[in-house]
Amino acid sequence: MEPTIFVPTDLYLMLSAVLFVMGTLGVLIRRNAIVIFMSVELMLNAGNLAMVALARQWGQVDGQVFVFFVMTVAAAEVAVGLALIVSIFRTRKSINIDDLHNLKG
Amino acid sequence: MENFPQLVPLVVFVPLIGLLINLFLGKYLGERGVSIVAVGAAAIAFAVAILLWMALAANGYEAAVIEIRPLANWITIPEAALDIKWQFRVDTLSVTMMLVVAGIGSLIHLYATGYMHGDPLFPRFFVYLNLFLVFMMILVTGNNFLVMFVGWEGVGLCSYLLISFWWDKRQPDRKFGTVGWKNSLAGRKAMIVNRIGDFGLLLAIFLIFWTFGTLDYYKPGEVPILPAHGEAATHGEAEAAHSEGEAGTPAAAEGLPLSATMGVFNQAEMMLQQGAEVHFGPFTLPIGTVITLATLLMLLGVTGKSAQIPLFVWLPDAMAGPTPVSALIHAATMVTAGVYLIVRSNVLFHAAPVSSAVVALVGTFTALVGGFIALGQWDIKRVLAYSTVSQLGFMVAAAGLGAYAAAMFHLVTHAFFKALLFLGSGAVIHAMEHGHHHAHEVAHEYGGHHSDDLPDLPFDPQDMRFMGGLKERMPRTYRAYLIGMLALAGIFPFAGFWSKDEILLDALKVGFLNGRLEGYIAFGLLLVSALFTAFYMGRQVYMIFHGEPRTEAAKYAGERGGGMNVMVNVLIVLAIGSTLIGLINVPTGFWVVDRIVPNHVFTDFLAHTVVYAHAGSANMLLAFIAVFGALAMIYLARILYRRQAVVQGTRDPLEANPQTAGIFTLANARLYWDETYDRYLEQPFNRAAAWLGDRLDWAFLHDFVHDVLIRDAYNALGRVLATPVDLGLIDGAVNGLGRLVRRAGGAVRRLQTGYVRVYALSVLLGALLIVVLLVAPLLQQALGG
């Protein structure tokens, strides 16, 4: 039996945290809507990674099952979100989110 | 026949139905239909009255009290022990009045169908006339003072409506602008003067209710306590109450208060025998004084309705109404309501000698004043009006002297001959108007000019100076009028002779036998009044019917066409009545006549109801003096007024003679009675009213209280409320709140940058905060634990 390399859960969680922070910063800093979108995906998948890692840690499948739901929802979200972005670009010829501040009070 | 008294509501309701038919359908019925309904209603009422009379005769003249179920409980307030019923009383007195009212009323209705022929308001006139019958019947059939008062006011209303019936007549009038104005002012005068009298009557009714606890004359089935038998004849229940009762506090008989079982008159008799006292809060008066007070107040009502001094001034003006109205309301029936009231309350008046004396003197002086003024009038109807005042004075004087039967007797005979005279005068006026018209047409046809005006007097169809010589032109009217004149003057054997003689003799007896001063005064003055009566009636007949016609109108006057036939026929019926009606009460001991006809039938008839009625006797000497005096006066009038030449221009022979000019002027000016009232009552009243209106109402109430106190204070208050309170406080609070919200919103809106990034950051921070809040306790637990 080939010895398996056991990666400790801490490393997964750290990677997950790093990915999440990168995603968050991407959302907050970048102006291109597509990039922001990708950053959101990054955050979602950071969460997925954490859930899978913890599921393995506790030997339960709940976390893994939940990840499927998240991926499904993310797919749906991408479909809707991209449609919105296309629509916005058609009307405003821009996907720079700083141009979209009509809700300013 | 025993159940005939049950018919008595018909005398009220048949004319009521008649008037309703004419009121709603009169327009479509035409003159003929309206006449049939109105005269028919009156005639049916008369027929019912005759049936009631027969029923009384069959029942031994026993009074009956009838009520119709749904209407009987008129006013009932158990808490105040107030239970006033609308009951009909059928007794000899009320039936006498019903016969007079419906009998004379039917004839006058019939006459009016001719007199009012062609009037555009023909149906309305008969509605009013039937309404008068309704109220007059309520007045005479009511079994208590309040129902009587309803009728009393109702006939007053009809009087007002009918006096001012021609309120829109455009014919010019020297004093009032148009005749219509004059008529409506006359109606108003009658209304106002009667209010003064009614005020007295109302107070009397209140006083009676306070004293006796009821207003019923007699309760159903109650028998009057007869003076002759005294207490022996007392009604059963009353007897019980009498023996148990204490003075002043009517005791209960079988648990019922005395007022539930005994009417006013029997209670009065009983309380007088006991010498009871009446309590008015802190005051206590003996019953005799209370009755005197009540009867004096009642007298005030009588002076209003029956035109006595001091309130008679409305009656002569009331002649502004159509002549049938003058005959029916202002001569034959309504004005006798006061006499009826006194006779109805004879128990009370008998118990109050002071009041009776006052009544007698008021009546006597009224008779004298009315008779005197009638001497100097030119207007044919005014002479008759003052004559009515005078004759009502006779009746009231008789009632005051205790001669209740004589008063009622004179009421009945007077109804006949005065109706006859008024209707006769109406025929004359009618003929004069037609003659005037005809003369005009004749003159027009021949291209000439015609004027009925006398040198300084415009034509007036009622003025006797324009008449003369009508005897040949209106022979039937003349004969009827002559009978009326002889009856009024008291010439044997016409009706007025019997009744007037009875009053004179009763007056003399009160003076001579009872030694009462008012008897002598009444006798002397009434005799003078009787002489006046004969003189002014003689003057009137000679001026109207004898001599040569003084105008073209009189020349062309006649008694044919234009409804004259029916009018003259009614006159003939009344003339027959005026001749014979006196025979119903022939006194014992009068020459041959008392052997031929039964004696004092009418007095015996009345005595079943009128407790203190007594039969008159005959004195041939007095009768001779009275008749001779009257004949002498008529002869004097004949000398003065017979020939046309006697009236020179517009002057009366009495006026032309310097010795009598003063007297005539005084009579012609109506003793300055109206002027005196005008000067000493009306003008001060108007001045006081003007002063009060100017000072109190305008200056004080309007300018000061209203404008200064109320309006200005209100404005000041309004200003305070508007500016500081409303604008400052309330608006400030509301606007401040608004500003606050706006400012807060302005501050907070900055948060909404519109940049997605900011929202994302805030979401992140929020999420972090939640995580921290969730994790912190765990950490604390982990570290602390």
Side-chain angles (χ1 to χ4, degrees), chain B residues 138-388:
Chain B
I138 290 175
L139 195 163
V140 300
T141 58
N143 189 34
N144 68 50
F145 282 103
L146 206 62
V147 173
M148 191 275 308
F149 188 71
V150 169
W152 184 278
E153 289 302 309
V155 291
L157 169 69
C158 295
S159 164
Y160 166 75
L161 291 172
L162 285 164
I163 291 169
S164 39
F165 186 75
W166 283 323
W167 56 272
D168 57 350
K169 206 172 190 177
R170 296 240 176 267
Q171 190 183 323
D173 185 273
R174 265 169 301 168
K175 192 169 163 196
F176 297 97
T178 65
V179 170
W181 262 108
K182 186 177 112 187
N183 293 347
S184 56
L185 287 177
R188 196 183 71 178
K189 186 171 178 180
M191 197 55 144
I192 292 172
V193 172
N194 269 299
R195 290 290 72 68
I196 301 169
D198 295 346
F199 151 79
L201 181 57
L202 256 187
L203 288 186
I205 291 174
F206 294 157
L207 193 56
I208 286 169
F209 185 75
W210 179 268
T211 309
F212 301 109
T214 180
L215 289 172
D216 292 349
Y217 302 145
Y218 296 104
K219 297 289 177 184
E222 197 183 356
V223 180
I225 301 174
L226 294 173
H229 308 294
E231 290 163 59
T234 310
H235 188 56
E237 283 161 326
E239 184 84 280
H242 185 189
S243 53
E244 289 167 18
E246 293 172 18
T249 51
E254 297 154 21
L256 286 169
L258 193 57
S259 60
T261 56
M262 268 179 106
V264 170
F265 299 137
N266 276 353
Q267 277 196 57
E269 290 279 9
M270 206 189 76
M271 288 170 85
L272 280 165
Q273 282 167 16
Q274 293 171 349
E277 289 182 328
V278 185
H279 302 281
F280 300 90
F283 306 102
T284 301
L285 290 175
I287 182 73
T289 315
V290 174
I291 291 179
T292 305
L293 206 58
T295 44
L296 282 176
L297 289 169
M298 226 183 254
L299 174 63
L300 187 59
V302 171
T303 57
K305 190 63 84 195
S306 286
Q308 300 295 299
I309 291 173
L311 299 178
F312 71 92
V313 288
W314 67 273
L315 186 59
D317 283 29
M319 297 304 128
T323 304
V325 173
S326 309
L328 177 61
I329 301 185
H330 304 120
T333 54
M334 184 192 83
V335 289
T336 61
V339 181
Y340 166 78
L341 176 64
I342 298 179
V343 175
R344 176 58 86 188
S345 314
N346 66 86
V347 172
L348 300 182
F349 279 91
H350 185 266
V354 178
S355 305
S356 285
V358 175
V359 171
L361 292 177
V362 165
T364 305
F365 282 107
T366 308
L368 189 67
V369 166
F372 179 73
I373 295 176
L375 295 177
Q377 297 302 309
W378 294 120
D379 187 312
I380 179 171
K381 280 176 76 182
R382 249 172 207 281
V383 173
L384 293 177
Y386 279 107
S387 163
T388 304

Side-chain angles (χ1 to χ4, degrees), chain B residues 557-579:
Chain B
E559 53 184 8
R560 295 198 192 287
M564 282 296 269
N565 256 335
V566 63
M567 287 157 71
V568 174
N569 288 338
V570 169
L571 291 185
I572 291 167
V573 174
L574 281 171
I576 296 168
S578 301
T579 313

Side-chain angles (χ1 to χ4, degrees), chain B residues 104 117 127 186 195 200 344 407 416 419 439 459-460 501 549 609 679 703:
Chain B
I104 304 286
H117 172 70
V127 168
R195 290 290 72 68
R344 176 58 86 188
F416 274 91
F459 177 71
D460 177 356
D501 234 38
T609 305
R679 187 153 167 207
D703 285 353

